[in-house]
Amino acid sequence: MAGSTRAPQDMRTTLQNWLPKLVLSPSLAAMLVFVYGFIVYTIYLSFTDSKMLPSYDLVGFENYARLFGLSAWTTALINLAIFASLYIVICIAIGLLLAIFLDQKIRGEGMLRPIYLYPMALSFIVTGTAWKWLLDPGIGLENTMHLWGWESFKFGWIKDRDYAIYTLVIAAVWQSSGFVMAMFLAGLRGIDNEMLKAAQIDGASNWNLYRRIVIPLLRPAFLSAFVILAHLAIKSYDLVIALTGGGPGRATELPATFMYSYTFTRNQMGVGAASAVIMLMGIAAIMVPYVYAELKEQK
């Protein structure tokens, strides 16, 4: 009897141990093949002479040399530097200010938080399309001001080579600043109130309270926000396509749109794969130190 009782228990224990692995194994296999497998395949293609279709004739670093010799790639990198720096800085600044504002336990906080977070629920395609309608001089804000009698009002950034990149910043900040606010608000709510009360009793002003205590304690939130925003900036594609299409000219060309153009429009798959690898290296340069720091803190 004891042996027959132990056998079902052993089977149940074995099933409990293996069931999570069996459930997760298809997802793991799909991720290994369709994510990491295609990353390795793209890296391989970047060293081949692939044009319209994949080729397996290796040409070394020729595609990378061609890539960095293209003025379009240089323009895409410059645009990315402008877009990413403004996007990250403005999102963090607005998100922090909104979080501090909501942390004052104001009336209607429960209504304001969903309003600020709502843009993040939209896809970048929807955001780009909506802002295109708003910023287009023929149908958007400029046209509305003219209909209201303000004939001298001009806001044609989306059609101007020198200012079009800033329209991407406006749309991207509108979508992401609420998410950054939520990260900072969670950090603020995690700060010990006793510490803040003690500092106030010692005579610390609100400015010194935030500058010397609150903001330093939000360092993990700052780091997380930077990593997420930098990742979004590097792989930005759908927002650009929906809002400006990379134009006028190449004024809003980013590495992601460059990669798509050279791979599927110009039939330069090797060069496109090389640009994708450079983007991957940029994201890895941000993610790897962050993950390493997180693992180090857990130890």
Side-chain angles (χ1 to χ4, degrees), residues 144-165:
T144 302
M145 292 297 107
H146 291 174
L147 293 176
W148 288 354
W150 191 356
E151 295 291 340
S152 61
F153 181 85
K154 299 292 182 184
F155 194 78
W157 284 11
I158 199 171
K159 303 292 185 181
D160 192 317
R161 287 174 176 266
D162 297 327
Y163 293 98
I165 189 68

Side-chain angles (χ1 to χ4, degrees), residues 71-123:
S71 60
W73 177 247
T74 303
T75 300
L77 292 179
I78 294 173
N79 288 338
L80 177 62
I82 296 171
F83 170 71
S85 58
L86 292 175
Y87 172 54
I88 293 171
V89 170
I90 296 174
C91 270
I92 289 177
I94 293 178
L96 180 60
L97 292 175
L98 290 175
I100 292 173
F101 171 68
L102 291 180
D103 193 47
Q104 307 306 310
K105 307 296 191 299
I106 62 171
R107 181 179 298 178
E109 177 189 342
M111 180 182 66
L112 290 174
R113 272 185 299 176
I115 292 174
Y116 294 146
L117 283 170
Y118 172 73
M120 197 63 189
L122 302 176
S123 69

Side-chain angles (χ1 to χ4, degrees), residues 44-201:
Y44 177 78
L45 287 180
S46 70
F47 293 102
T48 67
D49 63 348
S50 300
K51 301 296 182 183
M52 185 189 314
L53 297 174
S55 169
Y56 302 102
D57 296 328
L58 295 175
V59 294
F61 288 92
E62 181 179 322
N63 288 323
Y64 292 90
R66 289 183 57 197
L67 176 66
F68 283 96
L70 293 171
S71 60
W73 177 247
T74 303
T75 300
L77 292 179
I78 294 173
N79 288 338
L80 177 62
I82 296 171
F83 170 71
S85 58
L86 292 175
Y87 172 54
I88 293 171
V89 170
I90 296 174
C91 270
I92 289 177
I94 293 178
L96 180 60
L97 292 175
L98 290 175
I100 292 173
F101 171 68
L102 291 180
D103 193 47
Q104 307 306 310
K105 307 296 191 299
I106 62 171
R107 181 179 298 178
E109 177 189 342
M111 180 182 66
L112 290 174
R113 272 185 299 176
I115 292 174
Y116 294 146
L117 283 170
Y118 172 73
M120 197 63 189
L122 302 176
S123 69
F124 276 109
I125 287 290
V126 174
T127 298
T129 302
W131 278 93
K132 181 178 182 179
W133 292 341
L134 181 64
L135 298 176
D136 191 302
I139 60 175
L141 183 62
E142 181 177 320
N143 181 62
T144 302
M145 292 297 107
H146 291 174
L147 293 176
W148 288 354
W150 191 356
E151 295 291 340
S152 61
F153 181 85
K154 299 292 182 184
F155 194 78
W157 284 11
I158 199 171
K159 303 292 185 181
D160 192 317
R161 287 174 176 266
D162 297 327
Y163 293 98
I165 189 68
Y166 303 111
T167 63
L168 294 180
V169 176
I170 294 171
V173 166
W174 177 80
Q175 177 151 11
S176 303
S177 55
F179 174 70
V180 177
M181 174 216 67
M183 296 177 63
F184 281 128
L185 187 60
L188 288 170
R189 296 287 164 84
I191 295 175
D192 186 3
N193 286 328
E194 297 300 323
M195 182 191 307
L196 302 180
K197 290 178 181 178
Q200 289 175 333
I201 292 173

Side-chain angles (χ1 to χ4, degrees), residues 82 257 296:
I82 296 171
T257 58
K296 193 173 181 181

